[in-house]
Amino acid sequence: MDNEPNARQGIQVISRAANILRTLEGHPEGLSLSAIAKNVKLARSTVQRIVNSLASEGFLIAASPTSRVRLGPGLVSLGSAAKADIDRVLLPHMKNLSDEVGETVDLSVQDAENMIFIDQVTTDAHQLRAVSAVGHAFSIYCCANGKAMLATMSDNEVMAFVEAHPIKALTRSTITSTEQLLTEIASIRKNGVAFDKEEHCEGVCAIGVAIEDPYGRNIAISIPVPTIRFNRNKKQLAARLREYKTTIELALGKGAV
């Protein structure tokens, strides 16, 4: 029992350090200590201590001769290891899923308002296939994997997200109404899968699920399908994707102590 206060304090420090690292995402030019303190709502002196510790591990480096800091090279190896871990665990399941349904299976990660495709399993089952290039970014509100990710947020968080990243129509089918998007997100939460019905690209539909990752990575798996084949197969695709979501999350350690 005597160690509980120290344990809580240690957890709090880790949480604060993580918030500081997240705050510096998207700021390659770095931020001042005062700016970081304002963003994470901590005293500048507290931020200074945490920044010094992160810098000693190479997770932060100086971005200017004054007081700006930015993300450091120490995070690169961690990021590469995390990507390798995702590949090691997920790719065999993605391959099995692709073989079973005879379609492409994509792996993506959220990056602000976009979903970035980071890996893919293709199939030769059909001459007509839907394939997105690895590294391609899709707006989160109009793709199946992105809408699955939005469904993990609260309605208030979704509304704040849409206010910060206004929706624009990419096709005639793109949902541009916040109310309609919230209605669809409610359906995704209920049914466990998200659909893209030619909302990002005409002639291509998709179905996707967000993966609950114990390490906090916002990842998703999706199956893009030419529209001509999608409607007659979507129930089967949804059923298989739900099953694989459960299998993958268990493989990643969901529920582990």
Side-chain angles (χ1 to χ4, degrees):
M1 295 292 292
D2 292 339
N3 291 328
E4 285 187 6
N6 289 336
R8 285 195 296 269
Q9 185 178 14
I11 292 170
Q12 184 183 58
V13 170
I14 293 170
S15 177
R16 288 174 171 178
N19 284 338
I20 289 172
L21 293 174
R22 291 192 189 99
T23 295
L24 287 165
E25 280 187 296
H27 293 281
E29 76 286 356
L31 291 174
S32 68
L33 295 180
S34 297
I36 296 171
K38 182 178 179 181
N39 274 280
V40 298
K41 297 179 173 57
L42 290 173
R44 189 182 183 283
S45 58
T46 301
V47 169
Q48 176 75 72
R49 288 195 298 272
I50 296 173
V51 163
N52 288 343
S53 296
L54 291 170
S56 70
E57 299 293 336
F59 297 150
L60 296 179
I61 60 175
S64 73
T66 54
S67 61
R68 286 189 172 219
V69 294
R70 62 181 176 87
L71 297 179
L75 293 171
V76 174
S77 59
L78 292 181
S80 298
K83 171 64 165 57
D85 178 59
I86 290 177
D87 284 349
R88 178 183 61 81
V89 175
L90 270 69
L91 279 179
H93 296 295
M94 291 170 59
K95 177 67 168 60
N96 290 340
L97 175 58
S98 178
D99 289 343
E100 287 185 27
V101 301
E103 301 289 355
T104 300
V105 177
D106 290 318
L107 174 64
S108 56
V109 62
Q110 183 185 356
D111 180 18
E113 73 271 28
N114 295 315
M115 296 299 294
I116 310 295
F117 289 85
I118 60 174
D119 224 325
Q120 183 179 80
V121 175
T122 59
T123 176
D124 295 324
H126 304 280
Q127 285 187 324
L128 181 62
R129 295 174 292 170
V131 179
S132 298
V134 171
H136 200 156
F138 281 14
S139 297
I140 195 170
Y141 59 83
C142 63
C143 56
N145 45 358
K147 288 194 287 183
M149 196 62 63
L150 287 176
T152 66
M153 306 178 187
S154 69
D155 283 355
N156 286 339
E157 288 173 328
V158 173
M159 291 177 68
F161 187 93
V162 171
E163 287 180 8
H165 309 284
I167 295 174
K168 61 180 180 180
L170 298 184
T171 73
R172 291 174 296 177
S173 301
T174 305
I175 294 175
T176 56
S177 160
T178 302
E179 291 74 20
Q180 189 178 352
L181 181 61
L182 288 172
T183 298
E184 180 153 350
I185 285 173
S187 176
I188 295 167
R189 294 181 186 129
K190 179 180 178 181
N191 298 317
V193 292
F195 293 99
D196 162 11
K197 298 177 181 178
E198 297 188 301
E199 296 164 52
H200 179 268
C201 178
E202 291 184 354
V204 177
C205 295
I207 182 170
V209 292
I211 299 299
E212 186 177 328
D213 175 38
Y215 299 101
R217 297 166 293 200
N218 291 346
I219 55 178
I221 288 177
S222 55
I223 305 173
V225 184
T227 302
I228 194 171
R229 217 167 42 240
F230 184 75
N231 288 331
R232 68 173 182 265
N233 294 326
K234 64 181 180 182
K235 288 185 179 179
Q236 176 205 3
L237 294 173
R240 302 306 291 139
L241 200 51
R242 289 190 197 98
E243 291 175 11
Y244 271 86
K245 169 182 166 67
T246 299
T247 299
I248 288 170
E249 288 177 344
L250 289 173
L252 285 170
K254 181 180 178 181
V257 178

